[in-house]
């Protein structure tokens, strides 16, 4: 399974975090949207959603491959 890439338009960097959010106007309270994000864009994506007053949280992306040493 390959690593997800960043959800920012035009960015092809590997994601290292998940931006977890929900639109209260269209999503049920147990619904969660997940945006993978690279380190350069995790703040951008979180702020983009926070500016719309969506509940948003950032979680580390679980690594499914060991880091090269
Ligand atoms: Zn990115």
């Amino acid at each position: 399974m390959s690593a997800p890439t960043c959800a920012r338009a035009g960015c092809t960097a590997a994601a290292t975090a998940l931006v977890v959010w929900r639109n209260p106007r269209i999503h049920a309270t147990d619904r969660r949207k997940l945006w993978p994000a690279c380190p350069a864009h995790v703040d951008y994506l979180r702020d983009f959603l926070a500016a719309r007053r969506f509940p948003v949280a950032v979680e580390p992306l679980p690594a499914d491959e060991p880091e090269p040493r």
Side-chain angles (χ1 to χ4, degrees):
M1 176 177 153
S2 60
T5 53
C6 179
R8 174 78 169 104
C11 181
T12 56
T16 57
L18 278 177
V19 178
V20 183
W21 64 280
R22 180 173 67 83
N23 181 344
R25 298 176 68 174
I26 62 172
H27 295 143
T29 53
D30 60 347
R31 182 86 184 274
R32 298 205 311 167
K33 297 282 288 181
L34 303 175
W35 279 358
C38 74
H41 291 127
V42 61
D43 288 343
Y44 171 90
L45 293 168
R46 185 193 57 210
D47 291 350
F48 175 89
L49 295 160
R52 282 154 182 76
R53 302 185 181 282
F54 294 169
V56 59
V58 175
E59 298 178 1
L61 190 70
D64 56 5
E65 291 180 61
E67 300 265 337
R69 291 172 195 270

